[in-house]
Amino acid sequence: MNALDQTGQIRERAPRNVQVLAVTSGKGGVGKTNVSTNIAVALAQKQLRVLLLDADLGLANVDVLLGLTPDATLADVISGKADINETLLRGPCGLQIVPGASGERSMMDLDAMERAAVIRAFEALTFQPDVLLIDTAAGISASVIEFVKAAHQVLVVVCDEPASITDAYAIIKVLSKDFGVRRFQVITNMTRSAAEGRTLFQKIAKVADRYLDVVLHHLGNVPYDAKLRRAVQEQRAIVDLNPDCWSGRAFRDMAERIRTWPTPDRDDASGDLSFFLNNLLGDESTTEEGTA
């Protein structure tokens, strides 16, 4: 049974409230996609219906991390070759994945109409998630900004190296000053200890408190873990392969914190997936209420 068959049975269900999380970073190479994938699987392990969107539109690799082979990607959706539901991949614990395109240069610089086509495609999505987790590209491209500013929560991944710290602060600065994003969840990654993770977070928080009107929270710390590297080599999520190792526990702890975050009331439009889509399209009828 393919993903489309598995999700077809929910077509007639009432829309669910959805928590939209965007995972981003100032630069590449900080483990952002690995963080996104493991948090998504850990949330699915908690019996939540999770949709992971690989929004690194030109260099997508969520499917590679999990050893999956997509029959269609977002590139096929944009070209009209496939419906959004035909792209769905089933990952561990029932996680559903919309794969991006890899090695498609045209996907890295979508114009406004093409980005709108991606967003509108989601209106036909039959899988109705409790959590939509978006793995954005690194940097501050137009597509990254659009996904992040429409999310309920923004998760910024940072490592303890000067370029990563500088670029993480830069993306927080741009999103806050130019797009009104005020709250950020920071994930410190590949540290030597929990204490090092806290110190790293404080470096960013101290500067942000001085110069920006933002609130930063330390969502969690992922320590350097040889078992995590082996999981990547085996194309498995560490929370699935070895959930009780250091990094596995870190991801599961973050997922538990996310699970307890309040979602908008059922009568609040900001909790509906269509509200998220409208925000991405810049619908003038939406407001900043309910966004990050």
Side-chain angles (χ1 to χ4, degrees), residues 4-288:
L4 180 58
D5 293 330
Q6 292 165 343
T7 58
Q9 59 185 325
I10 65 170
R11 288 179 184 272
E12 300 303 323
R13 293 185 181 181
R16 290 168 173 252
N17 278 25
V18 58
Q19 178 85 266
V20 181
L21 315 176
V23 183
T24 191
S25 64
K27 68 181 291 292
V30 300
K32 173 182 57 60
T33 297
N34 208 1
V35 168
S36 300
T37 301
N38 276 283
I39 289 178
V41 175
L43 287 168
Q45 288 174 336
K46 296 181 180 297
Q47 307 304 311
L48 293 172
R49 296 165 62 86
V50 183
L51 179 66
L52 175 57
L53 168 61
D54 193 342
D56 191 344
L57 299 178
L59 298 171
N61 59 4
V62 167
D63 54 322
V64 176
L65 278 177
L66 293 176
L68 303 172
T69 304
D71 293 324
T73 70
L74 280 177
D76 298 303
V77 174
I78 291 175
S79 67
K81 296 178 181 178
D83 177 88
I84 189 71
N85 296 291
E86 295 172 321
T87 70
L88 288 178
L89 288 174
R90 184 177 177 87
C93 307
L95 170 67
Q96 296 288 338
I97 301 159
V98 176
S102 181
E104 295 277 352
R105 186 173 180 180
S106 62
M107 290 290 290
M108 300 178 69
D109 190 25
L110 300 181
D111 60 31
M113 290 185 64
E114 289 170 325
R115 291 197 300 272
V118 172
I119 294 159
R120 289 197 176 96
F122 275 79
E123 295 176 353
L125 188 68
T126 56
F127 180 76
Q128 302 208 14
D130 300 306
V131 179
L132 169 59
L133 199 150
I134 304 164
D135 180 40
T136 75
I140 316 177
S141 67
S143 64
V144 170
I145 294 297
E146 289 187 358
F147 282 121
V148 169
K149 72 182 184 181
H152 294 117
Q153 298 281 354
V154 181
L155 283 57
V156 180
V157 181
V158 61
C159 293
D160 193 9
E161 57 182 54
S164 177
I165 295 170
T166 300
D167 290 352
Y169 175 78
I171 196 169
I172 291 171
K173 179 180 177 180
V174 168
L175 289 167
S176 63
K177 288 198 168 184
D178 296 344
F179 299 98
V181 181
R182 296 287 179 252
R183 300 191 309 276
F184 297 86
Q185 302 284 341
V186 177
I187 299 172
T188 51
N189 193 31
M190 295 187 287
T191 63
R192 288 175 294 185
S193 67
E196 186 178 273
R198 289 191 295 270
T199 300
L200 172 56
F201 170 75
Q202 289 300 328
K203 288 180 184 178
I204 299 174
K206 184 177 180 179
V207 179
D209 287 345
R210 183 173 182 180
Y211 296 107
L212 304 177
D213 181 21
V214 297
V215 177
L216 303 187
H217 296 283
H218 192 192
L219 179 59
N221 176 67
V222 184
Y224 175 84
D225 188 348
K227 291 181 180 179
L228 179 57
R229 292 194 64 183
R230 287 199 293 272
V232 171
Q233 293 169 346
E234 294 183 28
Q235 296 179 288
R236 297 276 301 278
I238 191 65
V239 294
D240 185 37
L241 179 64
N242 196 338
D244 292 322
C245 70
W246 291 343
S247 57
R249 289 198 300 267
F251 287 123
R252 291 192 294 119
D253 288 346
M254 284 188 280
E256 179 58 24
R257 294 187 189 103
I258 291 170
R259 188 188 65 81
T260 64
W261 288 347
T263 53
D265 294 335
R266 189 164 297 279
D267 293 332
D268 185 346
S270 68
D272 190 88
L273 189 57
S274 62
F275 183 89
F276 165 69
L277 298 174
N278 287 336
N279 273 352
L280 283 172
L281 288 170
D283 192 321
E284 294 180 357
S285 66
T286 63
T287 67
E288 290 185 351

